[in-house]
Amino acid sequence: MTELARADRPLHDLATRLLAVAEQGLPRMLLPEGNGFVFTRAAVRTAGDGPWSLEQRGTSLRYAAITALGARFLPADRQRVVLGGHTAEEFTGLLVERLPGVRNLGDAALVAWAAAETGHPKLSDALDRVAALDEPGRPQYTVEAAWVLSALAAARATLDVEDRLAAARDRLLHARIGDSPLFPHATGPGLNPWYRSHIGCFADQTYPLQALARAHASGDDPEALAAADACATRICALQGDGGQWWWHYDARRGSVVEGYPVYSVHQHAMAPTALLDLAEAGGTDFGEAIRRGLRWMTEVPELAAAGASEPLILDELGVTWRKVHRGDPKKAVRAARGLTTRLAPGLRLGPLDGMFRPAAVDRECRPYEFGWMLFAWLGGTGR
């Protein structure tokens, strides 16, 4: 935040506003018992053009863990407001207690990461659950594999995790295709259909580059840092003219397959989180790209081009709307471009841009969006 204030005061004010929205919105996403978070708050209208109201839907362990990771940077009294009367360590303890019944590797890895960062005494138990779910040699989704590495990097100052960390680090590095700096959606074959095996989403880039940067920061690993830097360099080179972080990439060629939706969380939280962690680990400073992405939150060129004036930040409701998208049925543009780029790399089917213009707003908000926002702008040194 200090550097942002020096570089661009209006954007510093925007980030401050977003942090206030996060602290206002997260308590509204708590489960009634105060021991977890809903999956989403979705907007509904009861009649015509009346005001929006929001309804809670589902629950999410991973979103609760991400929220704990971000909320730990708040003062203890404000942690308790956000986390149902608990500090981040106490709240993480509630999540650790649920691990014996957890079957998803990503959920377990995030809880273990939160346990490591909050200094929870049952960190070893949390990592044991991760190990039980992470069968050696079995392909995993890239995002979840990255969270495993981040958890181990956070734990290495407390526990001997070096063998597991080396394996997790190598798995990510070997997941790349050829000499491309980008990551596919899975670390090996079998999890994705053949016609999408070359595609990686934005999260498949940010979480690995963050994990590799953190692996270097927690120990000396120039190869991991170089891989993180190369990935960041490429996605920043591909960033949209309006600051957009695009959705899907060809992991073989390092190119964009389909840009939309543009997600708010990518703009205000996930890209800043990963790129700031990279800079703090000794990698390239992509501050200008971070600022361009953040600026999109209020300028939203897609809506301006369509003559729409709807804001994505609603302070009074404590939400940021989730994304701007094409409104294409069943994500048809993504499917078409995924298949065609598999068969003919670089073919984008340009007429689809005219048929499905990105002017629709997805009016929901999820806890992890605010968790990563707190992590991005309050974490690290001097943010």
Side-chain angles (χ1 to χ4, degrees):
M1 291 291 284
T2 303
E3 178 59 33
L4 185 61
R6 283 197 293 261
D8 192 314
R9 190 71 200 188
L11 283 182
H12 174 272
D13 294 342
L14 173 58
T16 301
R17 175 189 175 194
L18 286 166
L19 289 169
V21 170
E23 285 197 62
Q24 179 184 0
L26 280 169
R28 304 181 189 185
M29 300 181 184
L30 279 164
L31 297 176
E33 302 81 7
N35 61 355
F37 281 87
V38 300
F39 177 76
T40 192
R41 294 175 78 204
V44 293
R45 265 182 174 155
T46 54
D49 294 328
W52 293 108
S53 62
L54 290 117
E55 61 181 26
Q56 319 277 46
R57 296 177 183 173
T59 62
S60 175
L61 178 64
R62 69 174 50 185
Y63 290 177
I66 292 170
T67 302
L69 280 166
R72 79 185 194 277
F73 293 110
L74 295 169
D77 58 333
R78 288 158 63 188
Q79 292 179 30
R80 294 186 185 279
V81 173
V82 166
L83 299 174
H86 307 287
T87 65
E89 181 186 347
E90 293 164 351
F91 187 80
T92 298
L94 300 177
L95 306 183
V96 170
E97 290 175 4
R98 295 164 59 181
L99 280 177
V102 170
R103 299 289 181 266
N104 180 272
L105 176 61
D107 290 359
L110 284 166
V111 172
W113 186 2
E117 297 287 8
T118 60
H120 195 275
K122 291 189 176 181
L123 170 60
S124 181
D125 293 343
L127 289 175
D128 285 346
R129 187 58 187 156
V130 173
L133 294 170
D134 195 6
E135 181 181 337
R138 179 183 177 185
Q140 300 291 351
Y141 289 109
T142 299
V143 164
E144 298 184 350
W147 289 337
V148 170
L149 180 56
S150 288
L152 293 167
R156 73 191 310 183
T158 305
L159 301 172
D160 181 4
V161 296
E162 294 308 311
D163 289 345
R164 283 185 282 177
L165 189 147
R169 170 256 199 206
D170 290 348
R171 174 170 59 187
L172 276 183
L173 292 178
H174 296 154
R176 295 170 298 174
I177 302 171
D179 60 358
S180 171
L182 300 188
F183 294 85
H185 194 55
T187 62
L191 293 178
N192 297 316
W194 67 269
Y195 55 86
R196 295 197 67 241
S197 62
H198 63 299
I199 291 177
C201 67
F202 186 70
D204 295 324
Q205 316 314 317
T206 57
Y207 291 125
L209 82 83
Q210 177 187 33
L212 291 165
R214 286 181 159 257
H216 173 70
S218 64
D220 188 24
D221 193 341
E223 184 182 1
L225 181 65
D229 216 310
C231 179
T233 298
R234 189 60 189 147
I235 61 172
C236 288
L238 295 171
Q239 188 179 21
D241 292 339
Q244 300 94 336
W245 296 111
W246 300 124
W247 189 31
H248 275 123
Y249 302 84
D250 188 329
R252 304 164 304 179
R253 296 167 54 87
S255 57
V256 175
V257 170
E258 165 55 9
Y260 292 95
V262 172
Y263 286 87
S264 294
V265 66
H266 296 171
Q267 305 295 132
H268 65 54
M270 281 171 54
T273 294
L275 297 175
L276 288 169
D277 277 357
L278 173 65
E280 290 185 1
T284 302
D285 181 355
F286 291 102
E288 178 55 35
I290 293 171
R291 292 189 290 274
R292 284 199 303 269
L294 182 61
R295 193 173 292 116
W296 180 91
M297 287 296 301
T298 53
E299 296 184 355
V300 197
E302 292 81 2
L303 298 183
S309 59
E310 180 175 5
L312 295 185
I313 307 169
L314 282 77
D315 306 71
E316 68 280 6
L317 293 180
V319 298
T320 57
W321 289 147
R322 180 165 168 75
K323 67 191 181 195
V324 172
H325 62 108
R326 294 184 184 277
D328 48 326
K330 298 183 179 180
K331 302 175 183 176
V333 175
R334 180 192 74 173
R337 285 182 168 160
L339 179 58
T340 54
T341 54
R342 179 66 184 182
L343 301 174
L347 182 61
R348 284 186 46 80
L349 300 178
L352 292 175
D353 290 325
M355 296 171 60
F356 300 103
R357 298 186 181 278
V361 175
D362 180 0
R363 298 177 185 87
E364 64 169 303
C365 184
R366 300 183 183 182
Y368 87 103
E369 301 171 14
F370 290 158
W372 284 137
M373 188 190 296
L374 295 172
F375 191 111
W377 298 108
L378 301 182
T381 56
R383 289 193 188 172

